Amino acid sequence: MSKTNDSLMQRRHAAVARGVSQIHPIFVQRAENATVWDVEGRQYIDFAGGIAVLNTGHRHPKVMEAVKRQMEQFTHTCFQVLAYEPYVELCEKLNTLVPGDFAKKTLLVTTGSEALENAVKIARAATGRAGVIAFTGGYHGRTMMTLSMNGKVSPYSAGMGLMPGGVYRAQFPCPLHGVSDDDAIASIERIFKNDAEPRDIAAIVIEPVQGEGGFYVASPAFMKKLRELCDLHGIVLVADEVQSGAGRTGTFFAMEQMGVAPDLTTFAKSIAGGFPVAGVCGRAEMMDAIAPGGLGGTYAGNPLACAAALAVIEVFEEENLLARSSTLGEMIMGRLRDIAAQDKRIGDVRGLGAMVACELFTAECRPDAELAAKVVALARDKGLILLSCGQYGNVIRILVPLTASDMEVQAGMDIIAACFAELAGS
């Protein structure tokens, strides 16, 4: 009996915990670059990229070959027991790629959540303080500490009770929703006045481009003010580049476009082209604040993932993918603006490099999550995989592999245009 999406969904519901969500009722059979095929043989253009993991596409030949070579040598030792060169080489590469004109060191872990957890640990050890300031709309993970930093309760921590304390919420600057740069800085000052003294705050954690929060881009002017505020009070500035990093925004890290450098940078997702590696890179003296044994993990910096990440960095250099990211972003935003000119429900088109989104509103200017869900579902029926995001679920985001051809990208944009046209009366 041949497998179908429906039959596999039935097995999934019986075997997998309900809290593990699934956006599309599809089971993938194989994938190549920007195309996936399901178990029924249907083909889709992938504009999701495994949620920003596949900037170099599915199964990039150079990445696959690097992993195969590593598999023939060894797959695991635990770096804390028996070290291996790919871990060290990847740290060396990242120390040069992460912005900041200062000596750096890097820690490798496995997931983005782990990276953020460890960034907070490092900031606390380096400052002797415990408090953290995060932002509305921010997303940092699903572990306990990162859940407390998230700027959205449902679905991430709904029904789980209160998360760990000592985390304070500032406003993320978003002129579209009435929050200026000055308003955002003022909200931090209010925390200092009403909730916690600056000398109790170890870190301010921010995504330069919000991921799950809706692809809002912080301005260089705001980042400069934030950097000055952190310097004034001795607070560690942490840039969460889990989603915006690895070339998605036209530079290897989005903070390169912000005019200032963070003290610590977290990375994950696309850094290894589909293999699980993440980490923290930052000021050497801060990274060394924790004694041996306080950082690491059994699978942290897995040799296969390290080999993949080193290959990803080579692919970016050889295929000039940073320039490709900027070109793709201009192409996608241009097409979205053309659609928006004909459909006033698209209230905003924005992005940095190829990290692009459009935000949908009703005729009464209220966030339209229903329309976003309809567009995602209809696009799937037409052969395009899309994702929504945002605090209100009303943002369509595009994370197509940077290695996708112009023809594939335009075909995907044609489907998006067709979806809005078809849903014009809804």
Side-chain angles (χ1 to χ4, degrees):
M1 180 179 175
S2 61
K3 295 175 183 177
T4 66
N5 289 314
D6 284 345
S7 66
L8 288 169
M9 284 297 290
Q10 291 176 18
R11 289 171 57 189
R12 179 203 193 286
H13 289 313
V16 179
R18 187 171 68 100
V20 181
S21 64
Q22 185 173 337
I23 297 164
H24 297 284
I26 291 171
F27 280 78
V28 174
Q29 182 68 45
R30 64 188 179 95
E32 199 76 34
N33 197 13
T35 305
V36 295
W37 290 264
D38 70 10
V39 293
E40 298 172 14
R42 185 162 185 204
Q43 181 175 323
Y44 300 86
I45 301 170
D46 186 3
F47 270 26
I51 313 185
V53 168
L54 298 166
N55 290 350
T56 51
H58 292 273
R59 303 181 68 251
H60 190 286
K62 193 173 187 74
V63 175
M64 298 300 292
E65 182 57 35
V67 173
K68 287 178 183 176
R69 285 197 306 270
Q70 182 58 52
M71 284 181 67
E72 291 171 356
Q73 296 174 327
F74 58 91
T75 62
H76 175 77
T77 65
C78 183
F79 186 78
Q80 295 100 278
V81 178
L82 294 172
Y84 36 89
E85 186 179 3
Y87 186 116
V88 177
E89 185 180 356
L90 181 55
C91 290
E92 290 170 339
K93 291 276 189 182
L94 287 161
N95 290 342
T96 64
L97 288 169
V98 167
D101 186 18
F102 43 77
K104 304 186 197 78
K105 288 190 176 182
T106 293
L107 156 74
L108 298 181
V109 287
T110 309
T111 69
S113 296
E114 269 188 285
L116 267 298
E117 291 267 353
N118 279 281
V120 171
K121 285 165 54 178
I122 292 163
R124 289 178 65 157
T127 62
R129 307 170 181 180
V132 175
I133 293 176
F135 289 85
T136 54
Y139 176 82
H140 303 289
R142 288 184 172 88
T143 54
M144 292 296 283
M145 185 68 198
T146 55
L147 283 174
S148 70
M149 293 193 289
N150 289 348
K152 184 178 180 181
V153 172
S154 183
Y156 307 118
S157 57
M160 302 173 199
L162 297 177
M163 293 299 114
V167 177
Y168 306 94
R169 191 86 51 221
Q171 289 184 294
F172 190 89
C174 181
L176 180 67
H177 292 283
V179 182
S180 69
D181 288 356
D182 287 342
D183 292 333
I185 293 296
S187 71
I188 298 174
E189 297 289 0
R190 280 196 297 274
I191 291 171
F192 292 158
K193 184 177 179 62
N194 299 326
D195 300 302
E197 290 183 300
R199 63 182 176 179
D200 291 323
I201 301 298
I204 294 179
V205 182
I206 188 169
E207 298 165 280
V209 185
Q210 289 198 323
E212 299 295 319
F215 282 31
Y216 300 112
V217 183
S219 71
F222 174 74
M223 281 296 187
K224 183 174 183 291
K225 292 177 180 179
L226 194 58
R227 177 73 271 176
E228 291 171 349
L229 192 71
C230 288
D231 290 342
L232 177 64
H233 297 296
I235 296 170
V236 177
L237 179 58
V238 179
D240 178 350
E241 294 243 31
V242 168
Q243 191 160 158
S244 61
R248 175 50 57 177
T249 65
T251 48
F252 206 81
F253 289 99
M255 285 299 293
E256 295 174 60
Q257 302 175 57
M258 298 298 167
V260 296
D263 300 301
L264 302 176
T265 297
T266 62
F267 55 87
K269 287 193 181 285
S270 270
I271 195 70
F275 290 84
V277 72
V280 186
C281 177
R283 294 182 181 276
E285 68 275 14
M286 289 185 179
M287 295 296 295
D288 283 345
I290 294 179
L295 299 174
T298 302
Y299 294 105
N302 173 270
L304 300 180
C306 288
L310 289 167
V312 164
I313 293 170
E314 288 184 15
V315 169
F316 264 88
E317 295 170 351
E318 293 172 1
E319 300 184 16
N320 202 17
L321 290 186
L322 295 180
R324 177 61 176 165
S325 177
S326 297
T327 300
L328 271 180
E330 291 170 5
M331 181 192 306
I332 294 166
M333 280 193 275
R335 286 295 306 272
L336 285 175
R337 288 181 179 124
D338 289 343
I339 300 169
Q342 304 299 319
D343 195 324
K344 300 307 177 186
R345 296 174 298 178
I346 300 178
D348 190 41
V349 173
R350 58 180 174 269
L352 193 64
M355 192 169 178
V356 178
C358 62
E359 187 159 359
L360 312 183
F361 296 90
T362 66
E364 297 77 27
C365 296
R366 289 194 291 269
D368 198 340
E370 182 179 354
L371 176 60
K374 287 180 178 178
V375 169
V376 170
L378 185 56
R380 178 180 66 237
D381 292 342
K382 295 179 181 294
L384 175 68
I385 301 300
L386 279 177
L387 297 172
S388 61
C389 65
Q391 282 191 286
Y392 305 101
N394 66 319
V395 178
I396 301 293
R397 54 177 160 169
I398 296 175
L399 291 162
V400 64
L402 307 180
T403 48
S405 68
D406 286 0
M407 185 178 298
E408 288 172 303
V409 174
Q410 294 292 11
M413 296 308 301
D414 288 344
I415 290 174
I416 292 174
C419 289
F420 277 102
E422 191 170 324
L423 294 168
S426 66

